[in-house]
Amino acid sequence: MSAGHALLVGGGHAHVAVLEDWIANGLPCASASVLSPDPLLHYSGMVPGVIARRYRKSEGTVEIAALAERAGARYIAGRCVAIDPDAREVRMEGGQALEFDIASLDTGGVSAAERVLGHDDRIVAVRPIARFVDDLGRVLARREPCRIAVVGGGAGGVELAFALRNGDGGDAVTLVTGAGGLLPDHAPAARRLAARELLRQRIAIASADARIENGELSAGPASLEPVELIVPALGSDPPHWLGKSTLACDEAGFVSVDAHQRSISHPFVFAAGDVAARLDWPVPRSGVHAVKAGPVLAANLRALCEGREPLASHKARRAHLYLMATGRGEAIASFGPFAAQGRWLAALKHGIDTRWIAHYADLARGA
């Protein structure tokens, strides 16, 4: 017996795989809806390329609304502000309530910038990504000299620093890595390549924790002023509405899920991507793992809707391939202890990213 109504909350990377399954195999339930504030998914892997003007903005998007229509689901333009899993209800901005029998959350997280750095009008938060691309475009469109500080020394921060240096506004870029230094979770070989390329592109490195006090951005004891734009690549916090629900969450506030992406407290609720925390196995919050979780989520949603026990699981490898575009036609690869740099790696990254986008573009068009 199929479930009554399935609700996908958020148009993230994992949910596009669910919609692909529904297009290919039909709805596993009587009816379904997709709630998302944006009809487009901005693919995170191509955002640095958009900033560096290697791609047009439209080339890095997937049409969530079109995929939902092809799958036979209703697309609802709106933002989730509350979930009551006991009443099986999601509430939108404006107060409208959406009921569900089975729900899946893939909303992404929210920016951690204000919590970590403090408030500053010069901050352009990376999350949500759609707003980031638009807000950054408006700032850089002024065509004025722009001194930029990218805060965060991980792969995301490094790639954004390269992109901003080679885009419209990167007159002077400083990468504030934090006390952990450059690429702290990567091998020395990758750190050396990244440091060499940052030096080559005249991107300054500040290896201290950033803070904003009295309107001044500092790294350790050193002031970084003057700065016109602050881009924090600091990871994500959970959406505030999760903490007000009865869903079990980890200490950081993300939805606690099992190996099957299912809530440990409410087995008819699933979660994937930045909003979820796997309890059985450490899975980094990144676009690549959200993509890999998609087919697992699709299989388990179908199983539960059809009255079967979810069985599919995705176990992340201990070593992950990272491809960081330099903004100048090359990429730096980091995989466990190995690292390399070259144009062929940029071509590899381009192929991976554009094939993923093209696949879902074809699905949305019915090709």
Side-chain angles (χ1 to χ4, degrees), residues 217-268:
L217 176 66
S218 300
S223 173
L224 298 177
E225 299 294 344
V227 172
E228 284 79 41
L229 174 63
I230 302 170
V231 179
L234 296 168
S236 63
D237 282 347
H240 305 302
W241 47 266
L242 273 179
K244 300 176 183 178
S245 78
T246 57
L247 285 170
C249 295
D250 70 357
E251 292 181 358
F254 298 95
V255 182
S256 297
V257 298
D258 61 16
H260 313 301
Q261 305 296 146
R262 187 165 55 168
S263 165
I264 64 169
S265 60
H266 295 79
F268 48 85

Side-chain angles (χ1 to χ4, degrees), residues 322-348:
Y322 291 86
L323 292 168
M324 295 167 275
T326 68
R328 298 190 174 183
E330 294 185 338
I332 297 170
S334 173
F335 182 73
F338 304 105
Q341 181 175 349
R343 290 188 175 276
W344 69 275
L345 289 166
L348 175 63

Side-chain angles (χ1 to χ4, degrees), residues 131-146:
R131 187 184 301 168
F132 170 63
V133 173
D134 290 340
D135 289 349
L136 187 65
R138 281 191 289 270
V139 172
L140 299 182
R142 297 170 188 166
R143 305 291 180 179
E144 299 171 353
C146 190

Side-chain angles (χ1 to χ4, degrees), residues 246-320:
T246 57
L247 285 170
C249 295
D250 70 357
E251 292 181 358
F254 298 95
V255 182
S256 297
V257 298
D258 61 16
H260 313 301
Q261 305 296 146
R262 187 165 55 168
S263 165
I264 64 169
S265 60
H266 295 79
F268 48 85
V269 175
F270 292 80
D274 281 359
V275 77
R278 283 269 295 270
L279 297 188
D280 64 302
W281 188 257
V283 177
R285 290 187 182 88
S286 66
V288 64
H289 293 293
V291 168
K292 289 182 181 296
V296 171
L297 185 62
N300 289 334
L301 273 170
R302 180 169 293 278
L304 192 63
C305 284
E306 294 176 350
R308 297 178 286 111
E309 187 66 17
L311 296 175
S313 180
H314 152 239
K315 190 172 241 188
R317 297 190 303 262
R318 295 194 181 275
H320 316 289

Side-chain angles (χ1 to χ4, degrees), residues 68-147:
E69 182 180 358
R70 284 216 62 222
R74 177 190 175 202
Y75 171 73
I76 303 170
R79 191 180 304 276
C80 172
V81 296
I83 182 170
D84 183 346
D86 300 309
R88 302 199 185 204
E89 183 179 274
V90 161
R91 193 162 296 277
M92 299 168 52
E93 284 178 332
Q96 181 183 356
L98 301 175
E99 297 180 349
F100 63 84
D101 294 294
I102 294 173
S104 177
L105 309 179
D106 186 18
T107 61
V110 299
S111 173
E114 191 158 326
R115 175 180 60 81
V116 176
L117 298 176
H119 176 75
D120 194 293
D121 290 338
R122 296 170 295 174
I123 291 175
V124 175
V126 174
R127 290 174 174 79
I129 290 178
R131 187 184 301 168
F132 170 63
V133 173
D134 290 340
D135 289 349
L136 187 65
R138 281 191 289 270
V139 172
L140 299 182
R142 297 170 188 166
R143 305 291 180 179
E144 299 171 353
C146 190
R147 287 155 292 202

